[in-house]
C-alpha cells in the first residue's frame, strides 16, 4: 500500500536522478546503467521500509487513541448519569423544603409566628 506521500517522495527522487543523469550526459561522463538501477532500487527500498515503519507506528497510535476515546466516552456517560441523578435529588430536596416551609406557616427563620417572650 503506497500513500500519496510515498509516491511524491518517489517522484521527487526519480526526478533528481533524471536531472543528475542529464547533467552527467552534458559533461560527457557516463555511469553504467546497472549502477544507477542498483542505487535507485536501494533508495526505493529504503523509502518503502521507512513508510512501512511510519504506517505501523500510526496504526499503533490509532489503536491507542481509539481505546482512550472509548474509556473517555464511558466516563462521560457515567458523569451524565450522575449529573442527572444529582439534579433530580436537588429538585426533590427543594420540593421537600418548600413543603416544610408551608407547614411551618410560611417559613422564615425562627420556625413560625411565635415569638420568644
Amino acid at each position: 500500500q503506497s500513500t500519496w506521500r510515498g509516491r511524491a517522495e518517489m517522484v521527487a527522487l526519480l526526478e533528481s536522478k533524471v536531472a543528475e543523469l542529464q547533467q552527467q550526459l552534458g559533461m560527457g561522463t557516463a555511469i553504467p546503467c546497472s549502477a544507477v538501477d542498483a542505487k535507485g532500487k536501494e533508495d526505493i527500498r529504503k523509502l518503502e521500509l521507512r513508510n512501512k515503519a511510519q504506517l505501523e507506528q500510526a496504526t499503533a497510535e490509532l489503536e491507542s487513541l481509539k481505546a482512550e476515546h472509548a474509556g473517555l466516552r464511558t466516563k462521560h456517560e457515567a458523569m451524565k448519569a450522575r449529573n442527572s441523578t444529582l439534579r433530580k435529588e436537588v429538585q426533590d430536596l427543594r420540593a421537600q423544603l418548600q413543603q416544610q416551609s408551608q407547614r411551618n406557616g410560611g417559613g422564615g427563620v425562627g420556625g413560625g409566628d411565635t415569638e420568644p417572650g
Side-chain angles (χ1 to χ4, degrees):
Q1 251 184 349
S2 59
T3 62
W4 177 86
R5 187 177 192 177
R7 285 191 296 270
E9 288 175 350
M10 207 176 291
V11 167
L13 176 70
L14 292 173
E15 286 176 346
S16 68
K17 291 289 181 189
V18 168
E20 180 182 317
L21 291 173
Q22 286 175 342
Q23 190 178 37
Q24 289 176 357
L25 281 175
M27 293 200 273
T29 60
I31 297 176
C33 286
S34 61
V36 172
D37 288 343
K39 175 98 171 94
K41 286 180 183 179
E42 181 183 330
D43 290 343
I44 289 171
R45 178 72 178 142
K46 285 179 185 177
L47 286 173
E48 287 175 349
L49 290 173
R50 189 179 77 212
N51 288 342
K52 184 178 179 182
Q54 287 176 344
L55 178 63
E56 288 174 357
Q57 182 181 5
T59 302
E61 185 177 353
L62 176 64
E63 292 304 317
S64 171
L65 289 173
K66 280 183 179 180
E68 182 180 352
H69 179 258
L72 290 173
R73 182 181 298 267
T74 302
K75 199 180 257 189
H76 174 69
E77 292 300 323
M79 286 182 179
K80 279 175 47 178
R82 174 80 172 133
N83 189 20
S84 177
T85 302
L86 290 174
R87 187 173 285 139
K88 176 72 170 124
E89 188 177 333
V90 165
Q91 218 173 21
D92 292 345
L93 289 172
R94 282 186 180 157
Q96 286 178 9
L97 182 63
Q98 191 172 13
Q99 288 175 354
Q100 289 293 328
S101 165
Q102 289 173 355
R103 281 187 210 149
N104 293 334
V109 179
D113 294 333
T114 60
E115 297 202 16

